[in-house]
mmCIF file of all heavy atoms in Angstrom:
data_model
loop_
_atom_site.group_PDB
_atom_site.id
_atom_site.type_symbol
_atom_site.label_atom_id
_atom_site.label_comp_id
_atom_site.label_asym_id
_atom_site.label_seq_id
_atom_site.Cartn_x
_atom_site.Cartn_y
_atom_site.Cartn_z
ATOM 1 N N MET A 172 8.126 -133.659 -99.030
ATOM 2 C CA MET A 172 6.959 -134.023 -99.838
ATOM 3 C C MET A 172 5.916 -132.905 -99.922
ATOM 4 O O MET A 172 5.197 -132.817 -100.906
ATOM 5 C CB MET A 172 6.312 -135.308 -99.290
ATOM 6 C CG MET A 172 7.163 -136.549 -99.481
ATOM 7 S SD MET A 172 7.645 -136.867 -101.196
ATOM 8 C CE MET A 172 6.064 -137.241 -101.934
ATOM 9 N N SER A 173 5.855 -132.044 -98.917
ATOM 10 C CA SER A 173 4.830 -131.001 -98.936
ATOM 11 C C SER A 173 5.080 -129.945 -100.009
ATOM 12 O O SER A 173 4.157 -129.239 -100.409
ATOM 13 C CB SER A 173 4.705 -130.345 -97.559
ATOM 14 O OG SER A 173 5.952 -129.838 -97.152
ATOM 15 N N THR A 174 6.316 -129.835 -100.510
ATOM 16 C CA THR A 174 6.601 -128.886 -101.590
ATOM 17 C C THR A 174 7.173 -129.580 -102.831
ATOM 18 O O THR A 174 7.495 -128.908 -103.809
ATOM 19 C CB THR A 174 7.589 -127.784 -101.123
ATOM 20 O OG1 THR A 174 8.735 -128.397 -100.524
ATOM 21 C CG2 THR A 174 6.927 -126.841 -100.142
ATOM 22 N N ARG A 175 7.259 -130.872 -102.807
ATOM 23 C CA ARG A 175 7.852 -131.622 -103.926
ATOM 24 C C ARG A 175 7.143 -131.332 -105.244
ATOM 25 O O ARG A 175 7.787 -131.194 -106.286
ATOM 26 C CB ARG A 175 7.797 -133.124 -103.624
ATOM 27 C CG ARG A 175 8.509 -133.976 -104.660
ATOM 28 C CD ARG A 175 8.368 -135.457 -104.302
ATOM 29 N NE ARG A 175 9.195 -136.286 -105.133
ATOM 30 C CZ ARG A 175 10.162 -137.069 -104.684
ATOM 31 N NH1 ARG A 175 10.421 -137.134 -103.397
ATOM 32 N NH2 ARG A 175 10.861 -137.808 -105.517
ATOM 33 N N TYR A 176 5.824 -131.227 -105.229
ATOM 34 C CA TYR A 176 5.058 -131.010 -106.452
ATOM 35 C C TYR A 176 4.446 -129.602 -106.508
ATOM 36 O O TYR A 176 3.506 -129.370 -107.248
ATOM 37 C CB TYR A 176 3.975 -132.083 -106.597
ATOM 38 C CG TYR A 176 4.563 -133.476 -106.632
ATOM 39 C CD1 TYR A 176 4.301 -134.382 -105.610
ATOM 40 C CD2 TYR A 176 5.407 -133.878 -107.664
ATOM 41 C CE1 TYR A 176 4.859 -135.664 -105.629
ATOM 42 C CE2 TYR A 176 5.969 -135.149 -107.681
ATOM 43 C CZ TYR A 176 5.684 -136.033 -106.663
ATOM 44 O OH TYR A 176 6.240 -137.289 -106.688
ATOM 45 N N ASP A 177 5.009 -128.694 -105.755
ATOM 46 C CA ASP A 177 4.566 -127.298 -105.764
ATOM 47 C C ASP A 177 5.210 -126.598 -106.960
ATOM 48 O O ASP A 177 6.428 -126.495 -107.045
ATOM 49 C CB ASP A 177 4.971 -126.610 -104.456
ATOM 50 C CG ASP A 177 4.395 -125.221 -104.310
ATOM 51 O OD1 ASP A 177 4.392 -124.458 -105.297
ATOM 52 O OD2 ASP A 177 3.970 -124.888 -103.189
ATOM 53 N N GLU A 178 4.403 -126.111 -107.886
ATOM 54 C CA GLU A 178 4.910 -125.499 -109.111
ATOM 55 C C GLU A 178 5.742 -124.250 -108.851
ATOM 56 O O GLU A 178 6.637 -123.928 -109.633
ATOM 57 C CB GLU A 178 3.752 -125.167 -110.045
ATOM 58 C CG GLU A 178 3.006 -126.388 -110.516
ATOM 59 C CD GLU A 178 1.774 -126.036 -111.328
ATOM 60 O OE1 GLU A 178 1.849 -125.104 -112.150
ATOM 61 O OE2 GLU A 178 0.740 -126.698 -111.134
ATOM 62 N N MET A 179 5.468 -123.549 -107.769
ATOM 63 C CA MET A 179 6.233 -122.357 -107.439
ATOM 64 C C MET A 179 7.623 -122.734 -106.910
ATOM 65 O O MET A 179 8.552 -121.936 -106.967
ATOM 66 C CB MET A 179 5.477 -121.524 -106.390
ATOM 67 C CG MET A 179 6.040 -120.159 -106.166
ATOM 68 S SD MET A 179 5.031 -119.072 -105.129
ATOM 69 C CE MET A 179 4.200 -120.130 -103.995
ATOM 70 N N ASN A 180 7.786 -123.943 -106.428
ATOM 71 C CA ASN A 180 9.033 -124.425 -105.840
ATOM 72 C C ASN A 180 10.007 -124.963 -106.888
ATOM 73 O O ASN A 180 11.143 -125.279 -106.573
ATOM 74 C CB ASN A 180 8.720 -125.531 -104.820
ATOM 75 C CG ASN A 180 9.933 -126.002 -104.061
ATOM 76 O OD1 ASN A 180 10.678 -125.215 -103.486
ATOM 77 N ND2 ASN A 180 10.141 -127.316 -104.063
ATOM 78 N N CYS A 181 9.585 -125.080 -108.117
ATOM 79 C CA CYS A 181 10.374 -125.781 -109.123
ATOM 80 C C CYS A 181 10.423 -125.002 -110.435
ATOM 81 O O CYS A 181 9.399 -124.498 -110.899
ATOM 82 C CB CYS A 181 9.749 -127.150 -109.346
ATOM 83 S SG CYS A 181 10.813 -128.309 -110.182
ATOM 84 N N HIS A 182 11.628 -124.928 -111.018
ATOM 85 C CA HIS A 182 11.832 -124.189 -112.262
ATOM 86 C C HIS A 182 12.889 -124.886 -113.107
ATOM 87 O O HIS A 182 13.716 -125.641 -112.591
ATOM 88 C CB HIS A 182 12.280 -122.756 -111.952
ATOM 89 C CG HIS A 182 11.281 -122.002 -111.153
ATOM 90 N ND1 HIS A 182 11.252 -122.040 -109.782
ATOM 91 C CD2 HIS A 182 10.246 -121.224 -111.536
ATOM 92 C CE1 HIS A 182 10.241 -121.314 -109.345
ATOM 93 N NE2 HIS A 182 9.615 -120.809 -110.385
ATOM 94 N N ALA A 183 12.879 -124.578 -114.413
ATOM 95 C CA ALA A 183 13.921 -125.113 -115.297
ATOM 96 C C ALA A 183 15.274 -124.626 -114.803
ATOM 97 O O ALA A 183 15.449 -123.443 -114.492
ATOM 98 C CB ALA A 183 13.671 -124.660 -116.731
ATOM 99 N N GLN A 184 16.195 -125.556 -114.711
ATOM 100 C CA GLN A 184 17.524 -125.238 -114.203
ATOM 101 C C GLN A 184 18.546 -126.109 -114.932
ATOM 102 O O GLN A 184 18.285 -127.284 -115.194
ATOM 103 C CB GLN A 184 17.568 -125.499 -112.689
ATOM 104 C CG GLN A 184 18.701 -124.827 -111.966
ATOM 105 C CD GLN A 184 18.556 -124.932 -110.450
ATOM 106 O OE1 GLN A 184 18.096 -125.938 -109.927
ATOM 107 N NE2 GLN A 184 18.977 -123.896 -109.763
ATOM 108 N N CYS A 185 19.688 -125.514 -115.262
ATOM 109 C CA CYS A 185 20.731 -126.294 -115.937
ATOM 110 C C CYS A 185 21.314 -127.319 -114.948
ATOM 111 O O CYS A 185 21.225 -127.151 -113.732
ATOM 112 C CB CYS A 185 21.822 -125.381 -116.498
ATOM 113 S SG CYS A 185 22.875 -124.597 -115.260
ATOM 114 N N GLN A 186 21.898 -128.359 -115.506
ATOM 115 C CA GLN A 186 22.463 -129.410 -114.657
ATOM 116 C C GLN A 186 23.618 -128.896 -113.810
ATOM 117 O O GLN A 186 23.802 -129.339 -112.677
ATOM 118 C CB GLN A 186 22.913 -130.593 -115.515
ATOM 119 C CG GLN A 186 21.747 -131.340 -116.112
ATOM 120 C CD GLN A 186 22.183 -132.512 -116.962
ATOM 121 O OE1 GLN A 186 23.365 -132.712 -117.240
ATOM 122 N NE2 GLN A 186 21.215 -133.306 -117.395
ATOM 123 N N ARG A 187 24.378 -127.957 -114.344
ATOM 124 C CA ARG A 187 25.507 -127.417 -113.570
ATOM 125 C C ARG A 187 25.011 -126.780 -112.282
ATOM 126 O O ARG A 187 25.538 -127.047 -111.196
ATOM 127 C CB ARG A 187 26.282 -126.402 -114.406
ATOM 128 C CG ARG A 187 27.519 -125.851 -113.721
ATOM 129 C CD ARG A 187 28.280 -124.909 -114.639
ATOM 130 N NE ARG A 187 27.363 -123.982 -115.298
ATOM 131 C CZ ARG A 187 27.299 -122.679 -115.052
ATOM 132 N NH1 ARG A 187 28.125 -122.132 -114.217
ATOM 133 N NH2 ARG A 187 26.434 -121.924 -115.669
ATOM 134 N N CYS A 188 23.980 -125.955 -112.376
ATOM 135 C CA CYS A 188 23.443 -125.315 -111.164
ATOM 136 C C CYS A 188 22.713 -126.312 -110.268
ATOM 137 O O CYS A 188 22.901 -126.316 -109.056
ATOM 138 C CB CYS A 188 22.496 -124.174 -111.538
ATOM 139 S SG CYS A 188 23.308 -122.713 -112.208
ATOM 140 N N ASN A 189 21.866 -127.149 -110.870
ATOM 141 C CA ASN A 189 21.021 -128.039 -110.082
ATOM 142 C C ASN A 189 21.795 -129.178 -109.440
ATOM 143 O O ASN A 189 21.662 -129.431 -108.245
ATOM 144 C CB ASN A 189 19.891 -128.593 -110.949
ATOM 145 C CG ASN A 189 18.862 -129.362 -110.153
ATOM 146 O OD1 ASN A 189 18.482 -128.962 -109.065
ATOM 147 N ND2 ASN A 189 18.416 -130.474 -110.688
ATOM 148 N N GLN A 190 22.601 -129.869 -110.232
ATOM 149 C CA GLN A 190 23.258 -131.068 -109.728
ATOM 150 C C GLN A 190 24.617 -130.796 -109.090
ATOM 151 O O GLN A 190 24.967 -131.393 -108.086
ATOM 152 C CB GLN A 190 23.422 -132.084 -110.857
ATOM 153 C CG GLN A 190 22.092 -132.588 -111.365
ATOM 154 C CD GLN A 190 22.249 -133.561 -112.523
ATOM 155 O OE1 GLN A 190 23.265 -134.233 -112.655
ATOM 156 N NE2 GLN A 190 21.237 -133.629 -113.371
ATOM 157 N N TYR A 191 25.370 -129.892 -109.688
ATOM 158 C CA TYR A 191 26.738 -129.669 -109.207
ATOM 159 C C TYR A 191 26.859 -128.417 -108.350
ATOM 160 O O TYR A 191 27.847 -128.242 -107.659
ATOM 161 C CB TYR A 191 27.709 -129.611 -110.392
ATOM 162 C CG TYR A 191 27.587 -130.838 -111.263
ATOM 163 C CD1 TYR A 191 27.070 -130.741 -112.546
ATOM 164 C CD2 TYR A 191 27.939 -132.096 -110.783
ATOM 165 C CE1 TYR A 191 26.929 -131.870 -113.342
ATOM 166 C CE2 TYR A 191 27.799 -133.228 -111.566
ATOM 167 C CZ TYR A 191 27.295 -133.104 -112.852
ATOM 168 O OH TYR A 191 27.143 -134.221 -113.622
ATOM 169 N N GLY A 192 25.851 -127.561 -108.401
ATOM 170 C CA GLY A 192 25.871 -126.334 -107.609
ATOM 171 C C GLY A 192 24.866 -126.355 -106.478
ATOM 172 O O GLY A 192 24.425 -125.312 -106.002
ATOM 173 N N ALA A 193 24.453 -127.551 -106.056
ATOM 174 C CA ALA A 193 23.495 -127.725 -104.947
ATOM 175 C C ALA A 193 22.218 -126.935 -105.177
ATOM 176 O O ALA A 193 21.583 -126.462 -104.247
ATOM 177 C CB ALA A 193 24.141 -127.359 -103.617
ATOM 178 N N GLY A 194 21.840 -126.770 -106.448
ATOM 179 C CA GLY A 194 20.597 -126.081 -106.775
ATOM 180 C C GLY A 194 20.687 -124.571 -106.693
ATOM 181 O O GLY A 194 19.708 -123.889 -106.938
ATOM 182 N N GLU A 195 21.879 -124.047 -106.358
ATOM 183 C CA GLU A 195 22.038 -122.587 -106.219
ATOM 184 C C GLU A 195 20.847 -122.026 -105.434
ATOM 185 O O GLU A 195 20.174 -121.093 -105.852
ATOM 186 C CB GLU A 195 22.148 -121.921 -107.590
ATOM 187 C CG GLU A 195 23.396 -122.274 -108.350
ATOM 188 C CD GLU A 195 24.668 -121.640 -107.796
ATOM 189 O OE1 GLU A 195 24.591 -120.849 -106.832
ATOM 190 O OE2 GLU A 195 25.738 -121.949 -108.328
ATOM 191 N N GLN A 196 20.611 -122.619 -104.271
ATOM 192 C CA GLN A 196 19.396 -122.338 -103.501
ATOM 193 C C GLN A 196 19.194 -120.851 -103.204
ATOM 194 O O GLN A 196 18.082 -120.351 -103.320
ATOM 195 C CB GLN A 196 19.381 -123.144 -102.208
ATOM 196 C CG GLN A 196 18.040 -123.060 -101.514
ATOM 197 C CD GLN A 196 17.972 -123.878 -100.250
ATOM 198 O OE1 GLN A 196 18.948 -124.002 -99.526
ATOM 199 N NE2 GLN A 196 16.806 -124.425 -99.979
ATOM 200 N N TYR A 197 20.243 -120.146 -102.837
ATOM 201 C CA TYR A 197 20.083 -118.725 -102.523
ATOM 202 C C TYR A 197 19.592 -117.951 -103.747
ATOM 203 O O TYR A 197 18.618 -117.196 -103.665
ATOM 204 C CB TYR A 197 21.406 -118.128 -102.019
ATOM 205 C CG TYR A 197 21.316 -116.654 -101.724
ATOM 206 C CD1 TYR A 197 20.706 -116.193 -100.557
ATOM 207 C CD2 TYR A 197 21.808 -115.716 -102.630
ATOM 208 C CE1 TYR A 197 20.598 -114.836 -100.296
ATOM 209 C CE2 TYR A 197 21.706 -114.359 -102.375
ATOM 210 C CZ TYR A 197 21.102 -113.926 -101.209
ATOM 211 O OH TYR A 197 20.989 -112.584 -100.957
ATOM 212 N N LYS A 198 20.248 -118.159 -104.897
ATOM 213 C CA LYS A 198 19.834 -117.485 -106.129
ATOM 214 C C LYS A 198 18.421 -117.895 -106.522
ATOM 215 O O LYS A 198 17.634 -117.074 -106.983
ATOM 216 C CB LYS A 198 20.795 -117.804 -107.277
ATOM 217 C CG LYS A 198 22.156 -117.190 -107.149
ATOM 218 C CD LYS A 198 23.011 -117.615 -108.340
ATOM 219 C CE LYS A 198 24.439 -117.154 -108.213
ATOM 220 N NZ LYS A 198 25.264 -117.668 -109.333
ATOM 221 N N HIS A 199 18.124 -119.182 -106.370
ATOM 222 C CA HIS A 199 16.799 -119.697 -106.716
ATOM 223 C C HIS A 199 15.730 -118.993 -105.865
ATOM 224 O O HIS A 199 14.699 -118.558 -106.381
ATOM 225 C CB HIS A 199 16.753 -121.206 -106.528
ATOM 226 C CG HIS A 199 15.641 -121.886 -107.258
ATOM 227 N ND1 HIS A 199 15.648 -123.228 -107.505
ATOM 228 C CD2 HIS A 199 14.480 -121.434 -107.788
ATOM 229 C CE1 HIS A 199 14.539 -123.573 -108.149
ATOM 230 N NE2 HIS A 199 13.813 -122.491 -108.329
ATOM 231 N N GLY A 200 15.995 -118.870 -104.579
ATOM 232 C CA GLY A 200 15.055 -118.188 -103.688
ATOM 233 C C GLY A 200 14.844 -116.739 -104.077
ATOM 234 O O GLY A 200 13.707 -116.232 -104.049
ATOM 235 N N LYS A 201 15.912 -116.049 -104.446
ATOM 236 C CA LYS A 201 15.804 -114.652 -104.892
ATOM 237 C C LYS A 201 14.932 -114.553 -106.143
ATOM 238 O O LYS A 201 14.119 -113.634 -106.280
ATOM 239 C CB LYS A 201 17.187 -114.054 -105.162
ATOM 240 C CG LYS A 201 18.020 -113.846 -103.917
ATOM 241 C CD LYS A 201 17.345 -112.880 -103.006
ATOM 242 C CE LYS A 201 18.279 -111.824 -102.497
ATOM 243 N NZ LYS A 201 17.595 -110.943 -101.552
ATOM 244 N N MET A 202 15.113 -115.491 -107.068
ATOM 245 C CA MET A 202 14.322 -115.475 -108.297
ATOM 246 C C MET A 202 12.848 -115.821 -108.027
ATOM 247 O O MET A 202 11.963 -115.272 -108.677
ATOM 248 C CB MET A 202 14.919 -116.444 -109.327
ATOM 249 C CG MET A 202 16.235 -115.965 -109.908
ATOM 250 S SD MET A 202 16.126 -114.299 -110.646
ATOM 251 C CE MET A 202 14.920 -114.566 -111.939
ATOM 252 N N ILE A 203 12.599 -116.693 -107.077
ATOM 253 C CA ILE A 203 11.210 -117.002 -106.711
ATOM 254 C C ILE A 203 10.526 -115.733 -106.196
ATOM 255 O O ILE A 203 9.399 -115.433 -106.578
ATOM 256 C CB ILE A 203 11.148 -118.151 -105.684
ATOM 257 C CG1 ILE A 203 11.449 -119.479 -106.378
ATOM 258 C CG2 ILE A 203 9.787 -118.207 -104.973
ATOM 259 C CD1 ILE A 203 11.632 -120.657 -105.458
ATOM 260 N N ASP A 204 11.219 -114.993 -105.337
ATOM 261 C CA ASP A 204 10.653 -113.736 -104.835
ATOM 262 C C ASP A 204 10.452 -112.730 -105.965
ATOM 263 O O ASP A 204 9.453 -112.002 -105.985
ATOM 264 C CB ASP A 204 11.538 -113.139 -103.742
ATOM 265 C CG ASP A 204 11.367 -113.844 -102.400
ATOM 266 O OD1 ASP A 204 10.417 -114.637 -102.240
ATOM 267 O OD2 ASP A 204 12.192 -113.590 -101.500
ATOM 268 N N ALA A 205 11.369 -112.690 -106.918
ATOM 269 C CA ALA A 205 11.235 -111.769 -108.051
ATOM 270 C C ALA A 205 10.052 -112.154 -108.939
ATOM 271 O O ALA A 205 9.323 -111.288 -109.428
ATOM 272 C CB ALA A 205 12.525 -111.740 -108.872
ATOM 273 N N LEU A 206 9.836 -113.454 -109.134
ATOM 274 C CA LEU A 206 8.752 -113.929 -109.991
ATOM 275 C C LEU A 206 7.381 -113.872 -109.323
ATOM 276 O O LEU A 206 6.380 -113.530 -109.959
ATOM 277 C CB LEU A 206 9.008 -115.376 -110.424
ATOM 278 C CG LEU A 206 10.109 -115.622 -111.433
ATOM 279 C CD1 LEU A 206 10.402 -117.114 -111.529
ATOM 280 C CD2 LEU A 206 9.703 -115.074 -112.795
ATOM 281 N N HIS A 207 7.327 -114.241 -108.057
ATOM 282 C CA HIS A 207 6.040 -114.438 -107.384
ATOM 283 C C HIS A 207 5.745 -113.419 -106.291
ATOM 284 O O HIS A 207 4.656 -113.430 -105.727
ATOM 285 C CB HIS A 207 5.969 -115.852 -106.791
ATOM 286 C CG HIS A 207 6.169 -116.928 -107.804
ATOM 287 N ND1 HIS A 207 5.237 -117.231 -108.776
ATOM 288 C CD2 HIS A 207 7.204 -117.777 -108.013
ATOM 289 C CE1 HIS A 207 5.687 -118.215 -109.527
ATOM 290 N NE2 HIS A 207 6.873 -118.567 -109.090
ATOM 291 N N GLY A 208 6.717 -112.578 -105.973
ATOM 292 C CA GLY A 208 6.517 -111.579 -104.935
ATOM 293 C C GLY A 208 7.361 -111.870 -103.698
ATOM 294 O O GLY A 208 7.610 -113.030 -103.361
ATOM 295 N N GLU A 209 7.778 -110.808 -103.060
ATOM 296 C CA GLU A 209 8.620 -110.902 -101.868
ATOM 297 C C GLU A 209 7.976 -111.804 -100.814
ATOM 298 O O GLU A 209 6.778 -111.722 -100.560
ATOM 299 C CB GLU A 209 8.839 -109.501 -101.284
ATOM 300 C CG GLU A 209 9.929 -109.413 -100.263
ATOM 301 C CD GLU A 209 11.322 -109.648 -100.833
ATOM 302 O OE1 GLU A 209 11.575 -109.291 -101.999
ATOM 303 O OE2 GLU A 209 12.150 -110.219 -100.100
ATOM 304 N N GLY A 210 8.773 -112.681 -100.246
ATOM 305 C CA GLY A 210 8.299 -113.554 -99.179
ATOM 306 C C GLY A 210 7.892 -114.948 -99.622
ATOM 307 O O GLY A 210 7.660 -115.823 -98.780
ATOM 308 N N HIS A 211 7.822 -115.177 -100.934
ATOM 309 C CA HIS A 211 7.397 -116.499 -101.395
ATOM 310 C C HIS A 211 8.439 -117.585 -101.106
ATOM 311 O O HIS A 211 8.078 -118.724 -100.825
ATOM 312 C CB HIS A 211 7.033 -116.463 -102.878
ATOM 313 C CG HIS A 211 5.650 -115.970 -103.115
ATOM 314 N ND1 HIS A 211 5.338 -114.638 -103.124
ATOM 315 C CD2 HIS A 211 4.488 -116.626 -103.299
ATOM 316 C CE1 HIS A 211 4.054 -114.487 -103.331
ATOM 317 N NE2 HIS A 211 3.502 -115.688 -103.437
ATOM 318 N N ALA A 212 9.709 -117.247 -101.166
ATOM 319 C CA ALA A 212 10.746 -118.235 -100.831
ATOM 320 C C ALA A 212 10.643 -118.629 -99.356
ATOM 321 O O ALA A 212 10.739 -119.811 -99.015
ATOM 322 C CB ALA A 212 12.135 -117.689 -101.155
ATOM 323 N N ASP A 213 10.425 -117.640 -98.486
ATOM 324 C CA ASP A 213 10.234 -117.944 -97.059
ATOM 325 C C ASP A 213 9.008 -118.816 -96.847
ATOM 326 O O ASP A 213 9.017 -119.748 -96.032
ATOM 327 C CB ASP A 213 10.102 -116.657 -96.244
ATOM 328 C CG ASP A 213 11.410 -115.908 -96.093
ATOM 329 O OD1 ASP A 213 12.483 -116.520 -96.259
ATOM 330 O OD2 ASP A 213 11.356 -114.694 -95.809
ATOM 331 N N TYR A 214 7.940 -118.510 -97.572
ATOM 332 C CA TYR A 214 6.716 -119.306 -97.493
ATOM 333 C C TYR A 214 7.001 -120.764 -97.865
ATOM 334 O O TYR A 214 6.583 -121.695 -97.161
ATOM 335 C CB TYR A 214 5.636 -118.721 -98.413
ATOM 336 C CG TYR A 214 4.494 -119.657 -98.666
ATOM 337 C CD1 TYR A 214 3.486 -119.824 -97.716
ATOM 338 C CD2 TYR A 214 4.421 -120.403 -99.840
ATOM 339 C CE1 TYR A 214 2.438 -120.715 -97.944
ATOM 340 C CE2 TYR A 214 3.381 -121.288 -100.077
ATOM 341 C CZ TYR A 214 2.400 -121.438 -99.119
ATOM 342 O OH TYR A 214 1.370 -122.320 -99.342
ATOM 343 N N LEU A 215 7.724 -120.975 -98.976
ATOM 344 C CA LEU A 215 8.043 -122.346 -99.406
ATOM 345 C C LEU A 215 8.902 -123.068 -98.382
ATOM 346 O O LEU A 215 8.720 -124.263 -98.145
ATOM 347 C CB LEU A 215 8.734 -122.321 -100.767
ATOM 348 C CG LEU A 215 7.834 -121.995 -101.952
ATOM 349 C CD1 LEU A 215 8.667 -121.696 -103.190
ATOM 350 C CD2 LEU A 215 6.850 -123.119 -102.214
#
């Protein structure tokens, strides 16, 4: 719940990646760092 409504934690994602690919968490984290700066995925 502490990150459920965090805008930095959530992005548009296709159903294949989100639902069937377990959210592609590693790739998602890499993209968060690319968008918001290194370390933001660890922060989340």
Side-chain angles (χ1 to χ4, degrees):
M172 291 304 293
S173 56
T174 51
R175 186 182 189 119
Y176 301 114
D177 187 318
E178 296 174 41
M179 191 171 31
N180 186 52
C181 196
H182 300 87
Q184 198 171 36
C185 70
Q186 290 180 352
R187 184 177 46 111
C188 288
N189 188 41
Q190 295 178 27
Y191 306 112
E195 293 288 357
Q196 190 178 35
Y197 178 77
K198 290 179 186 176
H199 199 162
K201 291 298 227 183
M202 289 305 299
I203 286 171
D204 283 348
L206 288 169
H207 303 289
E209 194 67 33
H211 278 81
D213 287 339
Y214 165 79
L215 287 167

